[in-house]
Amino acid sequence: MTTLINQNPVIYEASAQNSTREWREDDDNEDSTDPIDAQEIFDLIRSISDPEHPLSLEQLNVTQRDHITVSDENNSVLVEFTPTIPHCSMATLIGLCIRVRLLRCLPSRFKVDISVRKGTHQSEHAVNKQLNDKERVAAALENSHLLEVVNQCLATAT
Amino acid sequence: MPRLEQLAELQGHEDRVWCAAWHPTKPILATCSGDKTVRIWQATNAQDPTQWQCTGILEGAHKRTIRSVAWSPDGRQLATGSFDATTGIWEKDEDGNGDYECVATLEGHENETKSIAWSKSGALLATCSRDKSVWIWEVEEDNDFECLSVLQEHTQDVKMVAWHPTEELLASASYDDTIKIWRDDDDDWYCSDSLQGHDSTVWAIDFDPSGERIVSASADQTLKIWQRYKPGNPQGIVTPRRGEAVWKCVATVVGHHDRCIYSVSWSHAHGLVASAGADNTIRVFDIQDYDKEILTEEQIKATNEPGTLYQGVVLAATKNAHGTSDINSVAWYPSEEHGDWLASGGDDGFVRIWRIIRD
């Protein structure tokens, strides 16, 4: 077996299996134009599996609700994530998984920016640039091997 | 007020439209898409630019996204650059059923081909790729293409290549934030200048009609105008390499686009510049007066940089030109005849034809 990049990650307690967001009056009304908020984005991505460990991004504290900025009005979403270690070579893959998840679940009007949290990765600039280059993302998703890996990580997303 | 008026919406692509290219002489548009096809569009009646039909589909040759499409200068052939790393050369089968056929496939790039461009004479073809290289191909008889040179000075993906409008001089734009100028000395191609100034990926470049200026579009949300200074230029710009011109940024157009700019087109009919990108807006700039803000001779001597920040005059700004989708391509009609036409392609899979109304 290959050596894990981070052999002993710190594990955090995940919130309840279901959404941590409180039920709202109009949740069952499909016609309602309930604005999308950070909690909703967090719920979409927190159960994505880490590419290395049988753990979710939430359990590894890679994603946190407070590191998500949403403006429904301006159709913009910014997700900042925290790699478990500063030299994590999986950072781009994790970011890609988050991007694909949101690509599949959010209305297409949203412009999504994804970046590693400032100061949490040694190649922060390079990782961010790659994750936000739509051409590279489009090409990556035509790579069947890579897409399979992404889909595996997304299989646990609920 | 000048404005863009939509003439037509062309529907047919089943995925995002990456690039739109006008035929060099006829009112025919080619567009390519993530659906792995190129569509050819033609006005049903040359007098009525509101009715268009799809008169051809180029398909089957590329296994992945077609990222760019370009007509040969005589309009007889099309080149397609695909994420499958190849470049296709297509011709209309005039003797047969009139379908477009792939008559040659250029292989060599290690991964995605991003852009292709024919030189003005049609004798050369340039391609570029995520493999960081730019290839120069010589067009030979019988649909043979010989690779003359593999240029490897970019340190990252090369996003776009564009030929000078009259000379055998090539410009390339890259993810490494630079633009490079390539020339040949007796078939020996070399990098004659590297243009630094953008703070992020340079997605697109276009020459002005004279070929003395280049406009570039970047993920840093600015456009830059670069001017060529030949040795002994009256402005006193230093040209360090013997006999070699230098390109200097003379203006940075700021304060308009607020996300990545993916495409820019400098009209050869009227000199207006159109740009568009991830902020869903097509903007038309009049940048003729940029040099009014150029620094004084003393300032140039002090910095050897004539450039300055510049607002430009926005003649028209069409928000949500493709709804809430990114706009990946804008292209002015190449000649006077329909010089007021602009084509655009977006992530919504639509192609739109616009007309600039200047009153």
Side-chain angles (χ1 to χ4, degrees):
Chain A
M1 191 184 162
T2 48
T3 316
L4 295 176
I5 291 158
N6 182 0
Q7 301 203 28
N8 293 301
V10 183
I11 302 170
Y12 297 78
E13 194 177 342
S15 42
Q17 196 57 43
N18 295 318
S19 169
T20 46
R21 173 174 156 279
E22 283 185 35
W23 184 84
R24 292 198 206 118
E25 195 67 40
D26 61 355
D27 271 4
D28 299 328
N29 178 1
E30 288 184 7
D31 296 330
S32 78
T33 50
D34 189 21
I36 286 175
D37 58 19
Q39 181 65 50
E40 212 163 334
I41 303 289
F42 181 61
D43 286 340
L44 285 171
I45 61 175
R46 65 196 181 99
S47 51
I48 296 171
S49 297
D50 180 83
E52 268 205 330
H53 303 282
L55 295 165
S56 72
L57 297 187
E58 182 183 22
Q59 285 171 311
L60 291 168
N61 227 19
V62 169
T63 54
Q64 295 172 47
R65 190 183 63 178
D66 292 347
H67 298 167
I68 298 172
T69 316
V70 181
S71 167
D72 185 273
E73 194 183 348
N74 296 321
N75 297 327
S76 70
V77 172
L78 167 64
V79 175
E80 293 178 304
F81 67 100
T82 312
T84 53
I85 38 173
H87 55 274
C88 178
S89 64
M90 295 287 169
T92 330
L93 180 58
I94 292 170
L96 185 64
C97 289
I98 295 172
R99 180 167 286 289
V100 173
R101 175 72 175 154
L102 297 180
L103 203 63
R104 289 177 183 169
C105 298
L106 279 184
S108 63
R109 66 186 163 94
F110 280 98
K111 308 282 179 179
V112 177
D113 291 307
I114 296 181
S115 64
V116 296
R117 202 117 168 106
K118 202 167 169 46
T120 65
H121 198 277
Q122 62 188 22
S123 312
E124 183 179 314
H125 178 71
V127 171
N128 291 345
K129 193 168 183 180
Q130 189 161 353
L131 283 174
N132 293 295
D133 181 312
K134 70 185 283 185
E135 195 178 51
R136 285 205 172 189
V137 170
L141 297 182
E142 286 187 0
N143 175 332
S144 55
H145 171 69
L146 188 54
L147 188 60
E148 196 181 318
V149 175
V150 168
N151 281 335
Q152 270 169 19
C153 294
L154 294 186
T156 53
T158 48
Chain B
M1 273 290 284
R3 65 184 193 282
L4 280 177
E5 173 194 58
Q6 185 179 317
L7 293 173
E9 178 184 272
L10 316 182
Q11 298 185 18
H13 280 301
E14 289 165 7
D15 201 319
R16 66 158 63 100
V17 174
W18 275 112
C19 176
W22 289 103
H23 187 283
T25 54
K26 296 176 189 162
I28 298 175
L29 185 72
T31 57
C32 64
S33 160
D35 69 10
K36 310 178 183 66
T37 73
V38 169
R39 283 177 175 258
I40 309 290
W41 311 88
Q42 197 160 3
T44 24
N45 170 348
Q47 283 6 300
D48 178 10
T50 64
Q51 303 296 320
W52 293 69
Q53 60 182 6
C54 178
T55 59
I57 298 179
L58 284 57
E59 59 187 340
H62 289 300
K63 292 177 181 62
R64 295 180 56 187
T65 284
I66 303 180
R67 174 64 181 87
S68 58
V69 59
W71 295 89
S72 62
D74 63 5
R76 212 173 53 82
Q77 292 187 318
L78 283 143
T80 48
S82 167
F83 283 180
D84 70 11
T86 70
T87 297
I89 306 293
W90 304 72
E91 250 176 49
K92 199 171 181 175
D93 177 16
E94 301 284 4
D95 302 328
N97 50 15
D99 285 349
Y100 286 86
E101 289 178 348
C102 185
V103 294
T105 303
L106 281 51
E107 291 176 352
H109 281 298
E110 284 171 28
N111 38 44
E112 299 96 84
T113 302
K114 303 262 170 116
S115 168
I116 65 261
W118 303 80
S119 67
K120 180 66 184 172
S121 66
L124 299 172
L125 184 72
T127 60
C128 64
S129 161
R130 183 162 69 88
D131 68 11
K132 307 172 188 174
S133 68
V134 172
W135 291 44
I136 311 269
W137 307 78
E138 188 166 39
V139 182
E140 301 183 326
E141 286 181 9
D142 301 325
N143 294 319
D144 251 5
F145 290 77
E146 189 199 346
C147 177
L148 291 181
S149 198
V150 175
L151 309 169
Q152 314 210 69
E153 291 194 30
H154 278 297
T155 58
Q156 296 286 342
D157 304 28
V158 188
K159 295 292 195 185
M160 187 169 173
V161 281
W163 287 98
H164 187 280
T166 54
E167 302 166 21
E168 288 197 339
L169 177 151
L170 184 76
S172 59
S174 168
Y175 187 94
D176 69 11
D177 306 352
T178 73
I179 299 160
K180 295 195 191 294
I181 305 292
W182 310 90
R183 294 182 58 202
D184 85 314
D185 178 20
D186 226 6
D187 279 351
D188 188 16
W189 286 81
Y190 64 97
C191 179
S192 78
D193 202 1
S194 181
L195 285 52
Q196 297 178 14
H198 277 300
D199 292 327
S200 190
T201 301
V202 187
W203 280 93
I205 39 177
D206 201 11
F207 283 91
D208 82 335
S210 71
E212 296 303 317
R213 291 178 295 172
I214 294 173
V215 62
S216 56
S218 166
D220 70 10
Q221 307 175 4
T222 72
L223 299 171
K224 281 182 185 285
I225 304 164
W226 309 81
Q227 168 106 34
R228 176 160 69 175
Y229 293 93
K230 293 181 174 165
N233 64 81
Q235 294 87 349
I237 300 290
V238 178
T239 54
R241 287 166 76 171
R242 182 189 293 266
E244 203 74 70
V246 295
W247 294 78
K248 291 284 181 184
C249 177
V250 290
T252 301
V253 184
V254 294
H256 301 290
H257 289 286
D258 59 10
R259 290 187 70 83
C260 269
I261 313 175
Y262 291 129
S263 184
V264 64
S265 177
W266 199 325
S267 168
H268 287 204
H270 45 63
L272 298 180
V273 169
S275 59
D279 69 358
N280 313 340
T281 304
I282 300 176
R283 289 186 173 80
V284 177
F285 293 92
D286 184 345
I287 51 164
Q288 295 306 326
D289 70 343
Y290 76 86
D291 53 355
K292 287 195 188 131
E293 296 183 43
I294 278 191
L295 308 184
T296 63
E297 210 167 304
E298 287 70 36
Q299 288 169 309
I300 292 174
K301 276 195 182 129
T303 62
N304 199 32
E305 288 292 340
T308 178
L309 296 183
Y310 168 65
Q311 284 272 302
V313 179
V314 182
L315 284 188
T318 301
K319 285 185 182 168
N320 298 328
H322 282 256
T324 52
S325 296
D326 289 7
I327 300 157
N328 300 314
S329 183
V330 281
W332 288 110
Y333 192 87
S335 61
E336 292 281 349
E337 192 187 7
H338 304 295
D340 54 344
W341 290 3
L342 180 81
S344 64
D347 270 1
D348 56 1
F350 294 153
V351 176
R352 291 197 158 106
I353 313 279
W354 310 82
R355 172 161 62 195
I356 179 92
I357 312 248
R358 300 173 76 180
D359 301 326

